[in-house]
């Protein structure tokens, strides 16, 4: 019998990405020397330093995937920017410091493409997060040998005003990761996914992200025989990544990726779709035959935040992403089958 050498704690384990990782592990992509522990807000209030420390001391993880966060769609962010800032700053600081204090070997945190300045050039890539400057003590920090200390460029401009609280809190994870690496030699890194969707998402129309919100809207419009109203012009463009694809990439980052510098996890630039195209794909998947109406009195948010996955492709040139329409169809089927219990 293989001895367990990795105890992997997943914060935010009941959320969209956490449930996807749990499914991928259960489907055979876990390894014999790994023990996976998925925790949620029911297990500990991560805004409390004492509860976070107690959680770490109870489970004694060797590795952490940090997904826990206060999240929401465009309109929830607009209403509650301060809440997003304060809650996420507390969560991130408590998780990373508890990981340090209890000797966790590696932490992989989750950032977002919203960390980048609103006014920037496209496509976004990792060089915009940081540029090399000489490390003060690279010989004492093996983890930095191939990733010298970095000076962040994401601070060259503010993020989009609609979600500045969440964006700045996520930016600070990168600062903390490099600080723990420089001062304590910790292997703390992060990934930057684009727009994630899939089963177990939050399908709340007011507070959820755009794609699950649209799925719920189509479901209700089909039930009532009414038109589908899409907020905004439908023109903004997004790269959507299926949660099960992202889960498989998280496993690779945890096991194989050894840079402090974050890595963008995304489909290619050529797979970017407009909100109109996304709505049409959902309507097709759910066999909705009604009219699509665009409410242009509602904000569009950021027009685009196109990201390059060239670095990921250098590491994993053969990785196969689930085609967008197939992933949408599977997500819609899950929502239809689990409507009574889905978050909404």
């Amino acid at each position: 019998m293989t001895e367990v050498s990795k105890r992997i704690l997943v914060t935010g384990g009941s959320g969209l990405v956490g449930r996807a990782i749990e499914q991928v592990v259960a489907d055979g992509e876990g390894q014999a020397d790994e023990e996976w522990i998925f925790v949620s807000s029911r297990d500990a209030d991560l805004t409390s330093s004492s509860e976070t420390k107690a959680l770490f001391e109870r489970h004694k993880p060797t590795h952490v995937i940090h997904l826990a966060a206060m999240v929401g769609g465009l309109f929830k962010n607009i209403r509650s920017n301060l809440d997003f800032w304060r809650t996420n700053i507390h969560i991130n600081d408590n998780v990373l410091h508890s990981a340090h204090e209890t000797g966790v070997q590696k932490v992989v945190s989750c950032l977002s493409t919203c960390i980048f300045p609103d006014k920037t050039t496209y496509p976004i890539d990792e060089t915009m997060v940081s540029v090399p400057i000489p490390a003060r003590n690279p010989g004492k920090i093996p983890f930095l040998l191939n990733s010298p200390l970095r000076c962040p460029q994401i601070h060259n401009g503010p993020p989009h005003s609609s979600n500045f609280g969440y964006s700045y809190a996520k930016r600070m994870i990168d600062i903390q990761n490099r600080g723990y690496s420089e001062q304590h030699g910790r292997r703390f890194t992060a990934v930057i996914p684009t727009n994630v969707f899939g089963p177990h998402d939050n399908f709340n129309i007011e507070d959820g992200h755009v794609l699950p919100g649209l799925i719920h809207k189509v479901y209700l419009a089909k039930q009532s025989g009414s038109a589908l109203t899409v907020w905004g012009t439908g023109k903004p463009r997004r790269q959507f990544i299926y949660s099960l694809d992202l889960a498989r990439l998280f496993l690779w980052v945890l096991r194989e990726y050894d840079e402090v510098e974050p890595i963008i996890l995304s489909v290619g630039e050529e797979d970017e779709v407009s909100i109109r195209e996304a709505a049409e794909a959902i309507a097709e998947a759910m066999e909705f035959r009604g009219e699509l109406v665009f409410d242009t009195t509602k904000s569009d948010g950021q027009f685009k935040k196109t990201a390059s996955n060239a670095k990921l492709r250098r590491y994993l040139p053969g990785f196969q992403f689930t085609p967008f329409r197939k992933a949408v169809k599977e997500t819609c089927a899950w929502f239809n089958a689990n409507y009574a219990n889905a978050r909404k």
Side-chain angles (χ1 to χ4, degrees), residues 102-169:
T102 56
V104 170
Q105 296 173 26
K106 185 173 183 180
V107 178
V108 180
S109 296
C110 193
L111 307 185
S112 167
T113 51
C114 69
I115 66 173
F116 293 96
D118 181 36
K119 306 300 182 185
T120 189
T121 56
Y122 295 100
I124 296 163
D125 64 30
E126 293 85 356
T127 65
M128 297 177 181
V129 178
S130 50
V131 294
I133 62 172
R136 287 199 296 249
N137 55 352
K140 297 180 182 178
I141 309 173
F143 189 50
L144 290 179
L145 288 178
N146 295 316
S147 181
L149 223 58
R150 306 281 167 164
C151 178
Q153 298 300 298
I154 52 175
H155 301 288
N156 282 352
H160 193 269
S161 60
S162 63
N163 60 355
F164 69 85
Y166 180 80
S167 301
Y168 276 119

Side-chain angles (χ1 to χ4, degrees), residues 127-252:
T127 65
M128 297 177 181
V129 178
S130 50
V131 294
I133 62 172
R136 287 199 296 249
N137 55 352
K140 297 180 182 178
I141 309 173
F143 189 50
L144 290 179
L145 288 178
N146 295 316
S147 181
L149 223 58
R150 306 281 167 164
C151 178
Q153 298 300 298
I154 52 175
H155 301 288
N156 282 352
H160 193 269
S161 60
S162 63
N163 60 355
F164 69 85
Y166 180 80
S167 301
Y168 276 119
K170 286 294 186 180
R171 282 186 183 187
M172 292 304 104
I173 291 179
D174 179 58
I175 299 297
Q176 289 176 283
N177 284 346
R178 290 182 295 105
Y180 279 111
S181 294
E182 176 191 0
Q183 193 166 329
H184 299 292
R186 293 298 184 195
R187 301 172 68 218
F188 291 3
T189 190
V191 301
I192 308 174
T194 47
N195 293 63
V196 192
F197 73 98
H200 303 284
D201 208 338
N202 178 4
F203 294 85
N204 185 285
I205 291 172
E206 293 286 338
D207 294 339
H209 288 109
V210 59
L211 205 145
L214 284 172
I215 290 173
H216 193 179
K217 279 188 172 184
V218 172
Y219 179 94
L220 295 176
K222 187 176 179 181
Q223 295 291 313
S224 64
S226 59
L228 168 64
T229 301
V230 181
W231 289 345
T233 64
K235 294 178 182 179
R237 305 186 65 80
R238 296 291 183 266
Q239 288 158 290
F240 292 101
I241 181 170
Y242 194 31
S243 59
L244 296 176
D245 292 341
L246 181 60
R248 290 186 291 138
L249 290 171
F250 255 106
L251 266 60
W252 168 77

Side-chain angles (χ1 to χ4, degrees), residues 8-15 17-26 35-43 55 59 65 67 251:
I8 304 162
L9 181 72
V10 182
T11 70
S14 64
V17 181
R19 293 294 292 268
I21 293 173
E22 189 173 20
Q23 180 178 330
V24 165
V25 169
E35 178 185 356
W36 289 82
I37 304 159
F38 295 85
V39 297
S40 71
S41 57
R42 292 186 298 274
D43 299 285
L55 179 75
H59 291 294
I65 292 178
L67 306 173
L251 266 60

Side-chain angles (χ1 to χ4, degrees), residues 291-303:
E291 181 185 6
L292 268 68
V293 177
F294 293 86
D295 181 358
T296 58
T297 66
K298 299 288 189 181
S299 172
D300 272 336
Q302 195 166 1
F303 178 71

